[in-house]
Amino acid sequence: MKNKMLSQVSAVIVTSVLLLGCASSDKVDETTGTTISETQTMEGDAAEAGRSAEINYNEMFEELGNTRQFDIMALANSNQNLTTFVTLTEKAEITDVLKSKGPFTVFIPTNAAFQHLSKNELDELLAPENKVKLIKVLQAHILPNKVYVTEFRDAQRIKTADNKVINVQVSPDKTVTIGGAKIVKPNVEVSNGVVHIVDDVITAIAIGG
C-alpha cells in the first residue's frame, strides 16, 4: 500500500510541472490534528530563523564537502536552516520521492522564508485534512528534471497540472526569481538532481489571474 501511495505521489509530481519556454508518543492537537512535537518544531524553526536572519549562503553545505554524495532529503536534513521544509515534506509523506533516483530540481525555502507565511497558514498546511493542499504547495517547488539557473529565461513560465503558472524573472545581474522567491544559493548538486535555496515560498497563480 505504501509503495502504491509513493508511486501515486511521484506521478503527481512528475506530471504536474511543465516548463514553458527554454527550460508515535506525541500528543495530538485535536483542533488541527498536528502533534505537539510538530508544533514545537515549527515554532523552534521560526525562533531560529529570527535569531539567524542573516544566512551566509556562500558557506551553506561547505562542511559537507562534495554534496553529490547526498540525496535531496539528506542535504536538507544536514542544515539547521532547512528544518521547516523537512517537517513539511515528512507531513506530506513525499520524502521517499525526494530520496528516489530522479533527477529532480528542488527549490528549498529556508526557515526564514517560511516565516513569510502566517502561523494560521502553516497550521492549515499541517492539518491532516489538508494533505493534498500541502502536496500542491510543495510540488510547486519540484521540477521533474534537472534545471540550472542559467537555463531560466526572463518572463518564462512554469505551468502546473492544476492550471496555474509560476512566473520566472531574471534580472540584469542574472538573479533568478521563481514565483516570487529569489534563488539565493543556486546549483547545489546532489545525487538525484540539483537544489536551489530560495528566500520565500514559491507561489503559483491561476492562469489569467
Side-chain angles (χ1 to χ4, degrees), residues 16-20 157-161 163-166 207:
S16 66
V17 185
L18 174 67
L19 278 175
L20 300 182
R157 297 190 305 168
I158 300 170
K159 185 177 179 182
T160 66
N163 205 36
K164 292 183 178 180
V165 294
I166 300 167
I207 294 176

Side-chain angles (χ1 to χ4, degrees), residues 74-100:
L75 183 84
N77 273 294
S78 75
N79 193 282
Q80 64 179 358
N81 292 297
L82 307 178
T83 53
T84 301
F85 176 81
V86 172
T87 298
L88 292 176
T89 54
E90 289 173 349
K91 190 70 176 178
E93 298 184 321
I94 64 169
T95 55
D96 285 346
V97 175
L98 297 182
K99 291 178 181 179
S100 65

Side-chain angles (χ1 to χ4, degrees), residues 36-195:
I36 298 301
S37 64
E38 285 167 350
T39 302
Q40 290 170 341
T41 297
M42 301 295 280
E43 290 174 350
D45 293 344
E48 180 63 29
R51 286 194 297 269
S52 58
E54 294 299 325
I55 301 171
N56 189 331
Y57 297 110
N58 289 329
E59 295 181 1
M60 263 185 120
F61 316 119
E62 193 174 67
E63 74 283 358
L64 300 180
N66 184 3
T67 55
R68 290 182 179 87
Q69 63 185 306
F70 301 94
D71 62 43
I72 292 161
M73 289 310 304
L75 183 84
N77 273 294
S78 75
N79 193 282
Q80 64 179 358
N81 292 297
L82 307 178
T83 53
T84 301
F85 176 81
V86 172
T87 298
L88 292 176
T89 54
E90 289 173 349
K91 190 70 176 178
E93 298 184 321
I94 64 169
T95 55
D96 285 346
V97 175
L98 297 182
K99 291 178 181 179
S100 65
K101 185 177 180 180
F104 301 107
T105 296
V106 180
F107 305 94
I108 302 183
T110 62
N111 294 345
F114 280 108
Q115 278 196 299
H116 297 161
L117 300 178
S118 69
K119 183 179 184 300
N120 287 341
E121 287 174 316
L122 278 175
D123 287 344
E124 184 179 349
L125 289 178
L126 284 167
E129 65 270 21
N130 293 326
K131 182 178 177 182
V132 171
K133 180 178 181 179
L134 174 58
I135 290 174
K136 286 185 177 181
V137 169
L138 291 174
Q139 75 183 27
H141 295 73
I142 304 168
L143 301 180
N145 46 18
K146 203 170 181 179
V147 185
Y148 297 98
V149 290
T150 54
E151 297 178 66
F152 290 110
R153 298 290 180 266
D154 191 39
Q156 189 175 11
R157 297 190 305 168
I158 300 170
K159 185 177 179 182
T160 66
D162 56 349
N163 205 36
K164 292 183 178 180
V165 294
I166 300 167
N167 292 319
V168 179
Q169 295 174 300
V170 181
S171 67
D173 68 356
K174 304 304 181 184
T175 298
V176 178
T177 301
I178 306 284
K182 183 171 70 175
I183 296 178
V184 290
K185 176 71 173 178
N187 300 339
V188 183
E189 296 274 6
V190 288
S191 62
N192 55 345
V194 63
V195 166

